[in-house]
Amino acid sequence: MIELDRVAYSYGGAELFSNVSLTLAPGSFQFLTGPSGAGKTTLLKLCYGELVATAGHVRLFGKNVRELQRDDIALSRRNIGVVHQDCQFLDHLSVAENVALPLTVAGRADEASEYLEDLLSWVGLRNQAGQRPPELSGGERQRAALARAVIISPDVIIADEPTGNIDWEMSQRLLKLLVELNRMGKTILLATHDLNLIRQASKMQVQARVLRLMNQRLHVAGVDL
Amino acid sequence: MIAVIRRYFSMLAGDPLADRSVPPTGFTANLTVFTSGAMAFLAVFALALGLAAGQLADRWASELARTSTLRISAPADQLDAQVAAAVNLLETTPGVASARALDMAEQQALLEPWFGPDLPIDTLPIPRLIEVVEEGAGYDATGLRARLQAEVPGAILDDHTRWREPLVAAADRLRLLSILSIALIATATAAMITLAANAALAANAQVIKVMRLVGARDIYIAGAFVRRFTIRAFGGSAIGALAGTLAVLLLPSSDVAGGFLTGLSFSGASWFAPASIPLLAAVVAFLATRSAALRTLRALS
Ligand SMILES: Nc1ncnc2c1ncn2[C@@H]1O[C@H](COP(=O)(O)OP(=O)(O)O)[C@@H](O)[C@H]1O
Ligand SMILES: [Mg+2]
């Protein structure tokens, strides 16, 4: 679905990483780990077309990102749900409106009401629907971000440190939600530096692959960390 | 063609949710409403001026062209004979519908504004006037002058071209100036709305980024801004045009002077002119914001 072919990226200076190849096969669950600053967020941005690789090729659903127009990338993103490291909400809208935003911008706002309530219950935010994002706790924000990532029912879900600033219990809940999604057939790529989370996933019997970004290269690691 | 226009304006189709995605920006909103209001107010005057000048030019051109005056100065004992000869000659001139010597009372009335009612007109050596009304394509002025010179030595033909032409030219120039003013007003409005739209877009860079991240296309994001600015410009200029029209209506109408200012009003079909100003402002705002938004969105990628 998403394919990185010997990709390199540099923000202008030295290459952050190079020769990175990665395939997100349908229904797969992959962890992306590595030390802070290794370029995990950058790699994910390449996967949803926010950045363009400085070398190599990125293909979204079979199409080379370099050949896509801005609007084509926007359309591709409707099939990739992203939980951003910094959530990226519109603070003047309510939580419910933020969660519904992908449907709204796709001109399918009328479908929102159907899922919205179920979805907010699923992530445990039913009572916070009318609040503004800044009023939420860290864990609530992350769950709202997950709800927004999945509302348009994308095939791929990319989550960047979704458990970054929340407690262990909440992290487990979020992981569980992601595992549920994977069981429903969604392709998951989850960046985290939290190895406990990866161990926890293996207990949930997910067929997860662990990739480690380190020293400018992407390595396949075992689950036995 | 219609499909192209429809696609072009499709971003005007309302989407309240899209409009809510862009937070309200008080400063640019007020700037747009005020600017388009002020500009519409000015445009009404330019329009009224242009219409009045147009009517005046047409009136002068047509009315004055249909009449001319023959002035006869002669010693008192020859005057009546020359007037009779001139009227005779005029009546046999092709292109002349009628020729009529003004009587003393009429001449007195003409001079009254300048010399008062007590002018002893019959004792003064005042030339006699003959009013000539033309028909069809009019007469041949050069031929007529030549014949008059031969038969009525004291006659001077004034066919009004001498002072009609600069007046018509001035009125035409005035009409041109008003069209130019409206064009300038529209351009200035476009420039200011572009500035306001750019400010709003810059203030909302983060909003634009988020909308893109969740899959919004450029046209959708631009539409949210374009609709907002178009509506503001329309509203502001509707108020401005209304105020301007009221101000024009409240101008003192000086029928007695019969001069230029009486024409500075709207009547009949010309009422559509001030009513069209808000529409023009909306179109200007639409085009200005659309191009500003699409340009910014291109630059922000
Ligand atoms: N927009 C940017 N411009 C320049 N450097 C950046 C930018 N974003 C990230 N970096 C740098 O790239 C490196 C990798 O960042 P990031 O991808 O966020 O790593 P990670 O997510 O693994 O912590 C860091 O050193 C960071 O400072
Ligand atoms: Mg990161």
Side-chain angles (χ1 to χ4, degrees):
Chain A
M1 315 208 93
I2 297 179
E3 204 183 338
L4 275 61
D5 182 13
R6 284 162 292 163
V7 160
Y9 194 81
S10 117
Y11 280 105
E15 276 179 350
L16 203 52
F17 48 75
S18 59
N19 212 20
V20 166
S21 295
L22 168 64
T23 305
L24 299 192
S28 64
F29 194 126
Q30 309 193 57
F31 283 102
L32 175 63
T33 183
S36 179
K40 299 185 292 297
T41 299
T42 306
L43 189 61
L44 297 187
K45 284 180 176 170
L46 294 173
C47 291
Y48 56 85
E50 192 178 351
L51 296 175
V52 180
T54 44
H57 298 285
V58 175
R59 275 180 282 274
L60 303 186
F61 309 103
K63 289 186 198 124
N64 194 326
V65 168
R66 278 205 197 85
E67 283 150 23
L68 290 178
Q69 304 289 317
R70 259 195 324 285
D71 281 352
D72 298 329
I73 290 180
L75 294 180
S76 302
R77 282 187 189 154
R78 294 181 187 175
N79 206 14
I80 308 173
V82 182
V83 180
H84 302 273
Q85 195 163 5
D86 43 2
C87 289
Q88 304 277 8
F89 290 124
L90 295 180
D91 289 345
H92 64 283
L93 297 183
S94 71
V95 169
E97 285 170 320
N98 267 289
V99 168
L101 201 58
L103 282 176
T104 308
V105 303
R108 292 161 52 187
D110 45 328
E111 295 171 36
S113 52
E114 291 177 39
Y115 311 131
L116 197 56
E117 223 163 295
D118 288 348
L119 193 55
L120 287 173
S121 307
W122 182 62
V123 296
L125 287 177
R126 218 187 161 137
N127 298 327
Q128 283 83 358
Q131 284 178 277
R132 312 271 139 182
E135 299 163 11
L136 299 184
S137 73
E140 288 168 336
R141 284 169 66 81
Q142 294 292 359
R143 281 180 285 147
L146 180 62
R148 187 182 69 180
V150 301
I151 194 164
I152 201 162
S153 201
D155 291 326
V156 182
I157 293 157
I158 293 177
D160 193 0
E161 311 265 11
T163 61
N165 45 11
I166 58 180
D167 59 52
W168 175 238
E169 208 174 315
M170 192 58 76
S171 302
Q172 280 182 297
R173 259 186 83 183
L174 251 164
L175 180 65
K176 234 163 140 182
L177 294 176
L178 285 165
V179 169
E180 278 178 38
L181 287 166
N182 182 242
R183 294 213 170 108
M184 288 156 64
K186 307 291 183 193
T187 308
I188 313 270
L189 177 60
L190 197 168
T192 180
H193 62 261
D194 185 353
L195 301 182
N196 281 328
L197 201 67
I198 301 175
R199 290 194 196 101
Q200 188 66 29
S202 66
K203 283 187 204 150
M204 292 180 188
Q205 298 174 343
V206 206
Q207 292 287 313
R209 205 157 69 122
V210 180
L211 307 164
R212 193 195 316 236
L213 190 57
M214 221 174 129
N215 301 329
Q216 295 162 289
R217 288 286 188 279
L218 189 68
H219 311 273
V220 180
V223 195
D224 49 326
L225 295 148
Chain B
M1 182 66 197
I2 286 172
V4 170
I5 292 172
R6 188 170 302 155
R7 197 168 62 234
Y8 201 74
F9 284 92
S10 67
M11 54 167 76
L12 279 181
D15 180 352
L17 280 161
D19 296 346
R20 273 184 47 68
S21 312
V22 177
T25 42
F27 162 69
T28 55
N30 297 341
L31 183 66
T32 312
V33 172
F34 174 76
T35 304
S36 23
M39 291 304 190
F41 190 83
L42 296 178
V44 171
F45 284 98
L47 206 58
L49 203 67
L51 285 172
Q55 284 165 4
L56 215 57
D58 292 345
R59 211 164 65 212
W60 281 338
S62 60
E63 281 178 13
L64 296 177
R66 309 303 299 163
T67 63
S68 35
T69 311
L70 196 65
R71 202 164 68 234
I72 297 171
S73 316
D77 53 331
Q78 293 172 26
L79 197 56
D80 283 338
Q82 288 211 12
V83 167
V87 169
N88 227 339
L89 188 152
L90 285 165
E91 275 169 351
T92 58
T93 304
V96 171
S98 69
R100 185 180 69 85
L102 298 189
D103 60 29
M104 280 304 163
E106 283 172 305
Q107 294 223 30
Q108 172 114 37
L110 278 178
L111 293 172
E112 205 179 283
W114 282 277
F115 300 106
D118 302 325
L119 187 70
I121 193 167
D122 32 351
T123 66
L124 289 170
I126 288 175
R128 294 286 301 276
L129 300 178
I130 297 173
E131 184 188 75
V132 185
V133 177
E134 297 167 32
E135 65 181 4
Y139 54 80
D140 163 26
T142 325
L144 182 58
R145 281 207 178 88
R147 284 174 64 202
L148 281 168
Q149 206 166 23
E151 296 180 29
V152 192
I156 295 168
L157 178 66
D158 180 0
D159 63 359
H160 299 171
T161 36
R162 196 163 33 83
W163 60 279
R164 188 180 76 222
E165 273 168 5
L167 276 181
V168 171
D172 277 340
R173 197 69 53 78
L174 214 54
R175 178 157 50 179
L176 202 68
L177 271 179
S178 100
I179 292 170
L180 188 68
S181 304
I182 290 171
L184 281 175
I185 288 170
T187 312
T189 309
M192 268 185 269
I193 288 177
T194 301
L195 283 179
N198 279 337
L201 287 159
N204 285 299
Q206 177 61 21
V207 170
I208 293 171
K209 185 185 166 201
V210 171
M211 288 176 79
R212 278 201 169 142
L213 285 175
V214 298
R217 292 191 301 151
D218 280 6
I219 207 84
Y220 182 88
I221 303 171
F225 286 92
V226 168
R227 270 191 299 281
R228 185 166 297 180
F229 278 88
T230 304
I231 290 167
R232 282 174 193 161
F234 182 78
S237 58
I239 296 169
L242 196 68
T245 308
L246 284 177
V248 166
L249 287 182
L250 291 178
L251 280 179
S253 61
S254 48
D255 283 320
V256 240
F260 179 69
L261 283 177
T262 37
L264 205 58
S265 181
F266 299 106
S267 60
S270 70
W271 274 109
F272 287 108
S276 69
I277 287 175
L279 291 176
L280 178 70
V283 169
V284 165
F286 173 83
L287 296 176
T289 320
R290 187 181 190 277
S291 85
L294 293 180
R295 195 166 353 98
T296 305
L297 289 172
R298 220 173 296 133
L300 273 181
S301 58

